[in-house]
Amino acid sequence: MKFFIDTANLAQIKEAQALGILDGVTTNPSLMAKEGITGKENILQHYLDICKIVEGDVSAEVVATDFEGMVREGEELSKLHAQIVVKVPMIKEGIKAIKYFFDKGIRTNCTLVFSAGQALLAAKAGATYVSPFIGRLDDISADGLNLIADIRLIYDNYGYETQILAASIRHSMHIINCAKLGADVMTGPLSSIEGLLKHPLTDSGLEKFLEDAKSFNL
Ligand code: E4P
């Protein structure tokens, strides 16, 4: 399972990268705005800064919603750096754009996916990644994990190569359950990744080992 961090915060990306287990980064307009990045040049530079920190894929989202606008923005983003994956919203024009990018060899991440039907369309259009937002489904009392299972089944039925990128991860159990269901990638906050480290028996076990090691007089 690939681990992506879902942030535009450079310090957190560096921290996750230092763990040695980071495979990529996803961003979206809200995450970029949260970092206070404004203006086209600054935004493009920020993507480049992220690409310098990590070795894997970096999703950069288009903000146009018409086909021509998405193509224009996506082509510019993809030329910026080989690691950039163009993030395209799951709308009618977005599907057309994903197919266009697929034909041009430009990699895409189809975002804002909330149903199996949307995921099927994204795969048919040739998306590199599909991003089902499981946390936002859970937020409205729907079952985010069930969507991951449905997409896995459908993609396996037909051998679609689109990778399932479980997004809107809220906590460590989301990651574990997505791994059990066969999601190819998860993207979440640093806290959800670091949460995987935690177990009280590890803490108490280590405390005892260190206590007993005092007799070694090292
Ligand atoms: C995915 O690529 C999105 O950036 C993200 O996972 C959305 O998560 P949120 O629901 O926590 O905003």
Side-chain angles (χ1 to χ4, degrees):
M1 187 191 214
K2 286 193 255 181
F3 273 32
F4 289 0
I5 188 167
D6 194 30
T7 183
N9 181 284
L10 298 183
Q12 286 188 15
I13 295 169
K14 280 181 194 155
E15 207 174 328
Q17 174 66 21
L19 271 175
I21 49 83
L22 192 65
D23 300 298
V25 177
T26 52
T27 64
N28 63 40
S30 304
L31 293 171
M32 295 290 276
K34 196 172 159 194
E35 298 309 310
I37 303 146
T38 54
K40 187 173 165 184
E41 292 314 311
N42 291 335
I43 288 172
L44 296 181
Q45 183 57 49
H46 201 75
Y47 289 137
L48 284 175
D49 291 343
I50 294 174
C51 290
K52 275 187 213 143
I53 301 170
V54 297
E55 286 170 17
D57 291 346
V58 175
S59 286
E61 189 158 344
V62 298
V63 291
T65 53
D66 61 304
F67 174 77
E68 288 78 14
M70 283 191 255
V71 164
R72 196 169 49 246
E73 279 182 41
E75 287 185 330
E76 187 172 9
L77 286 168
S78 73
K79 281 183 195 139
L80 194 62
H81 198 286
Q83 286 167 246
I84 295 283
V85 174
V86 180
K87 209 170 177 189
V88 179
M90 165 41 75
I91 53 176
K92 196 169 177 182
E93 296 294 287
I95 287 297
K96 291 182 202 168
I98 288 169
K99 178 66 170 73
Y100 172 90
F101 289 133
F102 176 76
D103 291 340
K104 294 263 174 186
I106 294 172
R107 295 176 309 139
T108 54
N109 174 356
C110 183
T111 190
L112 290 168
V113 166
F114 293 95
S115 77
Q118 291 177 325
L120 180 56
L121 275 177
K124 283 194 69 67
T128 313
Y129 297 102
V130 66
S131 287
F133 278 30
I134 65 170
R136 291 193 195 186
L137 280 169
D138 290 356
D139 288 346
I140 59 157
S141 305
D143 189 343
L145 289 170
N146 194 38
L147 176 59
I148 300 292
D150 282 351
I151 300 172
R152 182 73 284 156
L153 176 67
I154 291 168
Y155 283 10
D156 288 350
N157 278 348
Y158 296 97
Y160 287 124
E161 289 177 9
T162 300
Q163 295 177 56
I164 302 173
L165 197 173
S168 187
I169 293 273
R170 297 270 191 263
H171 47 71
S172 306
M173 277 313 293
H174 268 157
I175 301 177
I176 293 163
N177 285 320
C178 284
K180 285 162 78 173
L181 292 169
D184 301 286
V185 192
M186 79 83 200
T187 190
L190 185 58
S191 59
S192 67
I193 298 172
E194 290 187 336
L196 296 172
L197 286 164
K198 292 179 192 155
H199 199 287
L201 292 178
T202 304
D203 297 340
S204 58
L206 182 60
E207 200 181 328
K208 177 80 171 84
F209 285 158
L210 294 181
E211 184 58 36
D212 291 343
K214 282 181 185 162
S215 66
F216 297 169
N217 290 317
L218 296 174

